[in-house]
Structure formats: structure tokens, C-alpha cells
Amino acid sequence: MAPFFDESRVDSDEVLAALDSHQTLRGLATAGAQVREAVSLSEEAGIERVAGGERPRSVLVASLGGSAVVSDVLELLAEPGSPVPVSVRRNLPLPGWVGPLDLVIAVSLSGRAPGPLALAAEAARRGAALLTVGATDSPLADVAAQARGVHIGIGRGRTTSRTALWSLLAPVLLGAGHLGIVDVDPRVLAQTADRLDELADSCRPSSESFVNPAKLLAADLAQGVPVVLGDGPLNGVAAGRATSMLARTARVPATSGELPDDAAQVVACFDGPFTAAYAGGVQALSGAGAQEPQDDIFADPFLDGPVAPRLSLLMLRDVLPDPMTREADDARALAEAVTTAAREAGVRVCEVTAQPGHPLTRLAGQIATTDFAATYLALGLGLDPAVSPHVADLRGRTGG
């Protein structure tokens, strides 16, 4: 049976206050402030001293779990023009080529995540330059201090990487910008903070469901099992973050992909058992004749049985460039072909299109929208977005 998304829950201040025990919505709304605070903390810590102010031979980023998107964003922004390679490692072993000429960036909100902490310690032992981001009083900060690296604190009130993403990401991008690895500076971060403020305002809890983009998207996502598809590398990163938030915050299983590489495997799912087209195909094979994919609006779940879960497609689209390029036109045509195929198969399609701006600013808007949507989806389903009994039980069983 499909989950029941109650719009009255997400429009009620009392219900939101009762369900959102850790004020997840408020935490997401501070994203713009996190960027501004991170810039100040980075400058106070001497971010210009990263790698001695000299461009390293290579950069390795260590982040995992809710912080993993930090690595993804740095890779994305570095790819177009970085003069040095950027790679990602979640845990030991540290690659053998890392040495005194390289920079290792380790990110952990608590400063205690085993993977980034072990990688930072091994990098320090080999004499590599270090940039660490996390809690001020933490083992990760100690490793950076002993190695004469640069450690950036995360500020107060940052309790989970799901709501403190920008406290972790902004210092990394600022440091990489100082080294000429990415095209990010305080001006770009200020524009990004403004975009995050705009999204926080339009997605605020007091904004009614019929005008709030995140609440509207949450209601749509509740109608099926979501596949999140980005129309290119930028939205591919946003899609990965969205599936992580849907699973961890809303407890909804989701998968993500990126065009053009994942077009075939996504479209293949439109033939499968989670679409209305599948029922028509089965009827055709049984001799009943193929029918247009559609739901029976008169179906009674008590007499006819529960409705099977259906696939839904969340397509994340980038703004079209001006002037238009052939590559962008091909990407647009492929995205439209996929959404058309989805609708013809009876798949519910939602689209979120980025607003113009620097790539980081565009990405920030996509992430903010889906972050808020995943949180409203949890609340509309009657779940606390920050508290998962099964996660707590898992930690208890493993000592994590």
C-alpha cells in the first residue's frame, strides 16, 4: 500500500514542533548563515596557509557518510579546469603515491569518523599537507595541529552533517579556491549564501503547501518509489545527495543516476513491475490485449487489495546556457526523451530546474530544494526526520 502523506501535518506549526524533535527544518534554513560563518572561521584559521600557499601535486579528499557529498562537489567543480588531479578516498589504505608534495583534505563533523581520521593521521605521518574540517575539540583537529596543517572549526549547534553540510563544504571550497583548484572565492560563496537564503524563505514551514516548492515536491515523491536523475554532472551530484536524504531522513528507498550514462538503465525500469505499463504488457501476453497505462480511480483498496508501489521519476534539470551549445541541446533532448518515456509508462514525473548563476550557486539551490522536500516528506508521513530507531539500534549493536 502506498504511504499516506498528510498535508495537514506539514502545514501545522504544532504538529511540526512535535515531530521535528531536533529542529531539522530550522537547521536546513541556516545553510546561508553556515556559508558566511564558515568563510569567517576559515579566514581566522588562516585558510591561505593551506599547503604552504603553494599548489600541491595532487589533492585527496577523505569524507564519508553524510559528509561524502563534500568530496563529490569538490570533484565536480575541479574537473573543468583544475591543474592538479583530485581524488576521493573514504577509508584506509591511503594510496602509496601520497607524500610531502600532496594535500589531503579530511572532513568529519564530529572530528572522530574513523576513515577520515585514519587517512589524515597517515597523511601526516608521510609529511603531506593537511586541511581538516570538523569539531574544534576533536582528534581530527589534534592531528592537524601536530602536522602543522590547517583546521577549520564548524561553529556552534552543528549536530548532523545532513543539516550542517555548508559548514563542512564552504571551507574546503575556499581552501581549494586559494590554490587555484576550483573557481570559488568569497564572492561566489556570498552569492551561494544568498541563494540558500532565498530557498529557505520559499520553503519555510509557514509557507502553505500549495505554494511551497518543497512541500509540493514532498507530496509528489510520496506517490511512488523515486528514481532521482540528474541531467548532467552538476545535477548528478545533487541527485546523489537527494537519494541520501530521502533514505536517511524520509526513510524512503531511492536510487539515483546521471545522464547520459544512466539513461538506458533508468528507462529499462519503465518496463518493470513498478509501472502501469507492466500491467498492460502482462495483459497483452495473456491475450487480454494491451491497454494504455493508467490507474483505476475507482479501485477500492479494501475490496481490491492494496495498490502496488509505483515508480516515480524526479528529474533534476540545469539552466540552459546562453548562448545555447550543441552539447547542452543534446542533453536537453535526452532529458525530455526520458521524461516523455516515463509519462507514457504511467510513471509520475517531477522536475526541479536550477536557477541561473555560478555552478556552485546552481547546485546549492538544487540541494536545498531536495533537502527540504525530503524533510517535509518525513514529516508528512508522521516521522521524526532526525530520529531513526533502527539506526540507533544498529549503533547499539555495533558500538558505533
Side-chain angles (χ1 to χ4, degrees):
M1 182 178 293
F4 176 64
F5 180 86
D6 189 347
E7 289 188 5
S8 67
R9 290 190 182 118
V10 298
D11 283 333
S12 168
D13 291 341
E14 293 77 14
V15 173
L16 290 179
L19 283 175
D20 194 5
S21 66
H22 287 58
Q23 297 186 314
T24 301
L25 288 171
R26 182 182 293 275
L28 293 176
T30 67
Q34 290 177 34
V35 173
R36 298 184 185 94
E37 182 184 39
V39 171
S40 296
L41 292 172
S42 298
E43 292 174 346
E44 290 172 7
I47 191 71
E48 72 282 354
R49 295 188 296 104
V50 171
E54 300 292 332
R55 184 174 294 162
R57 178 180 61 181
S58 68
V59 178
L60 183 141
V61 192
S63 65
L64 49 78
S67 305
V69 69
V70 173
S71 304
D72 299 334
V73 174
L74 183 59
E75 274 193 307
L76 169 76
L77 297 180
E79 278 181 358
S82 174
V84 302
V86 176
S87 58
V88 175
R89 179 73 64 169
R90 309 298 186 196
N91 211 328
L92 290 173
L94 185 69
W97 50 259
V98 175
L101 299 178
D102 305 299
L103 170 66
V104 171
I105 301 174
V107 178
S108 167
L109 188 75
S110 67
R112 292 175 167 79
L117 181 59
L119 287 165
E122 176 60 17
R125 190 186 69 80
R126 297 189 196 176
L130 274 184
L131 169 62
T132 58
V133 183
T136 302
D137 298 319
S138 67
L140 188 62
D142 293 341
V143 169
Q146 293 166 11
R148 297 184 179 179
V150 176
H151 180 79
I152 312 298
I154 55 172
R156 297 180 179 179
R158 311 296 182 225
T159 57
T160 169
S161 55
R162 283 179 286 153
T163 58
L165 168 62
W166 294 95
S167 293
L168 300 170
L169 180 56
V172 171
L173 296 179
L174 193 60
H178 272 292
L179 297 171
I181 295 168
V182 297
D183 177 25
V184 175
D185 57 21
R187 179 186 58 85
V188 169
L189 288 169
Q191 294 171 353
T192 301
D194 290 343
R195 178 67 54 83
L196 290 167
D197 285 345
E198 293 169 6
L199 266 297
D201 181 63
S202 62
C203 298
R204 66 190 185 278
S206 60
S207 175
E208 298 288 342
S209 289
F210 57 89
V211 295
N212 187 314
K215 291 181 181 180
L216 288 168
L217 181 56
D220 283 340
L221 291 173
Q223 303 302 312
V225 180
V227 174
V228 189
L229 191 58
D231 68 351
L234 185 145
N235 279 307
V237 171
R241 165 71 175 188
T243 56
S244 174
M245 288 292 287
L246 285 168
R248 187 66 177 83
T249 301
R251 279 57 132 196
V252 171
T255 185
S256 64
E258 175 187 318
L259 296 179
D261 292 353
D262 297 321
Q265 70 182 39
V266 170
V267 171
C269 294
F270 301 162
D271 301 319
F274 294 101
T275 66
Y278 176 77
V282 170
Q283 290 174 344
L285 288 173
S286 64
Q291 298 180 0
E292 288 293 320
Q294 57 186 358
D295 293 322
D296 182 0
I297 61 174
F298 300 106
D300 186 325
F302 296 99
L303 297 178
D304 303 322
V307 177
R310 287 284 172 83
L311 201 67
S312 65
L313 175 66
L314 170 56
M315 177 67 76
L316 301 181
R317 307 282 295 265
D318 204 358
V319 63
L320 295 177
D322 184 19
M324 193 71 169
T325 64
R326 180 175 181 177
E327 292 77 10
D329 190 54
D330 289 344
R332 177 195 57 79
L334 179 57
E336 290 181 358
V338 171
T339 55
T340 298
R343 291 188 175 98
E344 290 176 350
V347 174
R348 190 180 189 92
V349 177
C350 317
E351 295 188 66
V352 178
T353 302
Q355 296 301 308
H358 185 279
L360 177 63
T361 306
R362 304 201 308 271
L363 178 63
Q366 298 294 78
I367 288 176
T369 300
T370 53
D371 278 1
F372 273 107
T375 304
Y376 281 123
L377 178 54
L379 295 164
L381 296 174
L383 301 170
D384 186 332
V387 178
S388 169
H390 281 89
V391 171
D393 179 64
L394 177 64
R395 288 173 177 166
R397 291 172 186 267
T398 60

